[in-house]
Amino acid sequence: MKRDNENRVVFLDWLRVIACFMVMVVHACEAFYFNDAGETCFRSLSDARWAVGIDSACRAAVPLFVIASSFLLFPLKRTTGDFFRRRLARVVLPFLLWSGVYIVWNALSFEKGFTCDVSAIGGNFARFFFNFPMTTGGHLWFVPMLLGLYLVMPLLSPWAEKVTERELRGWILLWLFTTLFPFVRKLWACWFAPAADAASGTFWSHTFGLGDFDALPFLWGECPWNSFGTFQYVSGFFGYLLIGLYLRKFLPQLNWRQTLTRAIPLWIVGYAIVAGFFYCRIPFDGSFPLTRPYALAVDLEMSWEFCSLGVALTVIGYILVLRKLDFSGWFYAHVVRPISEASYGTYLMHMLILSPVVGQYRTSLSTPLTIVLTAVTTFVLASLVSIVLRRIPGIGKSIT
């Protein structure tokens, strides 16, 4: 594990930069399966293919950030109080600031001169006590999830210090089983459909078809009065916490040949699951634009869920390769590291830039070019702004 002169883990800086750019790609793709009204909308078959193909390769972005946090912070090396104080300054304060920025920005209008909906600002700040701002800042869901992991780190740290490699592998395998649950829920909802309905469809369509958007099948102890099933506490992003621990504590150093022979098959299988299930379930009817309720996209993203099997396999494939990126020369010191240090701020603010940029590009460019150029432009501009803000004396690091 290579470190630079200031004891930074080099490959984690590369990881943050790459994962941050992947986030921009994912959000650029959304313009090609959502419309301005918030509906699911594929304007053409080409849009569907490009959006699914490109987006599916980047679904690993958020889990990679979680693994980086786990690698550095888990198990805790400080007292619980000191850990939470540092996380408050590093994560919570910028989150609160940029949430406020999104709330205010969403209330501004420039269509007929400059107007500001003050009542909307007040209402959204009131709702912010209960959840992150959904309007324009939907990507901010990541922060409450990360804070939830921080809350359990002190509880699990004594175990993490003593766990054996065999035991940790067992827990990771159990977690990988839970990544099948999105598919199992669909199986439970559709395979056991009423006989009259089942008779009219194929095994594939009834096992992994669209079904009822609002149906939430219960699994292994879940029921209307209990959402805490058997695997509640060993599922979700908890697994990426374990992978980060395994990466730092037990994964042996591999050469490039060993790395690629493991990483490539994992990534290919994972990508096939992620992209294949999404694309095959789009209800093409031969006419475009194909417009459906927002719930369709939510249902289609079954295989895109961050804690589903395909995404998990691509994450493992990526992390094996990213671990080998230990290049620490001039480019690392002057480009990669500054962008990495500012990546949290880049993530928080990037939708303010991406939304107008994608609208400009898509009017004159092809779908793949729009996605790529939107991601590159947003990444560069947001990174530059975040780096500049970070250098403000006294408060820079508290806002990015």
Side-chain angles (χ1 to χ4, degrees):
M1 181 175 63
K2 188 172 182 180
R3 296 175 181 267
D4 70 359
N5 293 333
E6 297 182 32
N7 207 34
R8 291 182 65 86
V9 181
V10 172
F11 89 87
L12 289 182
D13 284 322
W14 286 93
L15 180 155
R16 288 192 196 92
V17 171
I18 293 170
C20 195
F21 177 71
M22 290 166 71
V23 169
M24 314 294 150
V25 174
V26 167
H27 290 154
C29 288
E30 288 183 353
F32 294 92
Y33 66 95
F34 286 117
N35 60 20
D36 293 338
E39 300 169 311
T40 305
C41 182
F42 296 96
R43 293 170 179 81
S44 68
L45 181 60
S46 175
D47 277 6
R49 288 173 174 170
W50 280 112
V52 174
I54 296 174
D55 198 320
S56 298
C58 297
R59 301 307 293 186
V62 169
L64 288 173
F65 279 123
V66 175
I67 290 173
S69 291
S70 173
F71 189 96
L72 288 175
L73 302 174
F74 186 61
L76 266 59
K77 304 170 185 64
R78 306 176 184 276
T79 64
T80 300
D82 189 30
F83 172 74
F84 285 138
R85 281 191 294 272
R86 288 174 177 268
R87 293 299 92 193
L88 174 68
R90 180 69 186 95
V91 177
V92 178
L93 293 182
F95 167 67
L96 295 176
L97 170 69
W98 287 102
S99 294
V101 170
Y102 280 106
I103 289 172
V104 173
W105 180 260
N106 189 62
L108 303 179
S109 175
F110 303 93
E111 292 183 1
K112 298 179 180 180
F114 174 78
T115 60
C116 179
D117 189 343
V118 177
S119 62
I121 294 177
N124 284 324
F125 270 113
R127 283 187 285 272
F128 185 43
F129 283 101
F130 300 96
N131 206 350
F132 65 91
M134 290 291 292
T135 53
T136 312
H139 65 293
L140 297 179
W141 70 269
F142 168 75
V143 182
M145 177 278 295
L146 188 62
L147 294 177
L149 290 177
Y150 289 160
L151 289 175
V152 300
M153 281 185 183
L155 294 173
L156 297 175
S157 286
W159 168 82
E161 291 173 351
K162 300 177 182 178
V163 68
T164 64
E165 181 179 6
R166 182 177 180 182
E167 184 181 358
L168 185 54
R169 281 185 179 182
W171 285 109
I172 292 174
L173 287 174
L174 177 62
W175 170 75
L176 281 172
F177 169 68
T178 71
T179 65
L180 291 169
F181 287 7
F183 307 95
V184 175
R185 289 186 188 280
K186 183 58 64 177
L187 174 70
W188 177 234
C190 299
W191 195 13
F192 297 101
D197 295 335
S200 64
T202 64
F203 172 83
W204 178 270
S205 65
H206 279 282
T207 302
F208 299 109
L210 294 173
D212 183 356
F213 297 140
D214 298 321
L216 292 173
F218 299 116
L219 293 175
W220 296 301
E222 298 170 345
C223 56
W225 56 90
N226 173 48
S227 59
F228 300 94
T230 303
F231 300 96
Q232 172 76 20
Y233 305 105
V234 292
S235 60
F237 283 91
F238 165 80
Y240 295 118
L241 199 70
L242 299 184
I243 290 175
L245 177 64
Y246 187 88
L247 178 68
R248 185 177 60 80
K249 197 168 183 178
F250 296 118
L251 188 68
Q253 292 294 330
L254 305 173
N255 59 37
W256 273 107
R257 181 176 177 276
Q258 293 170 322
T259 296
L260 294 178
T261 55
R262 290 163 173 79
I264 292 175
L266 285 169
W267 190 89
I268 291 174
V269 172
Y271 179 83
I273 295 171
V274 176
F277 274 91
F278 189 108
Y279 185 78
C280 290
R281 296 174 67 241
I282 298 175
F284 294 121
D285 59 7
S287 62
F288 291 92
L290 175 66
T291 304
R292 294 288 191 277
Y294 170 80
L296 171 63
V298 175
D299 196 58
L300 288 173
E301 289 186 358
M302 176 186 75
S303 62
W304 280 7
E305 292 182 20
F306 295 112
C307 301
S308 65
L309 180 63
V311 174
L313 294 179
T314 64
V315 168
I316 296 171
Y318 277 126
I319 200 66
L320 288 172
V321 173
L322 290 171
R323 189 186 184 219
K324 299 292 293 180
L325 301 184
D326 59 358
F327 315 114
S328 57
W330 183 93
F331 186 77
Y332 165 80
H334 293 86
V335 179
V336 174
R337 178 173 169 176
I339 294 176
S340 172
E341 291 175 335
S343 60
Y344 183 49
T346 301
Y347 178 89
L348 291 174
M349 76 176 69
H350 78 274
M351 287 303 293
L352 296 171
I353 299 172
L354 187 144
S355 296
V357 166
V358 71
Q360 291 295 318
Y361 281 143
R362 72 172 303 157
T363 60
S364 57
L365 299 176
S366 65
T367 299
L369 270 178
T370 297
I371 292 171
V372 172
L373 288 180
T374 296
V376 170
T377 302
T378 303
F379 181 69
V380 170
L381 293 178
S383 295
L384 287 174
V385 172
S386 186
I387 289 171
V388 170
L389 290 177
R390 189 174 174 81
R391 294 179 178 176
I392 298 175
I395 62 169
K397 295 183 180 179
S398 297
I399 60 178
T400 60

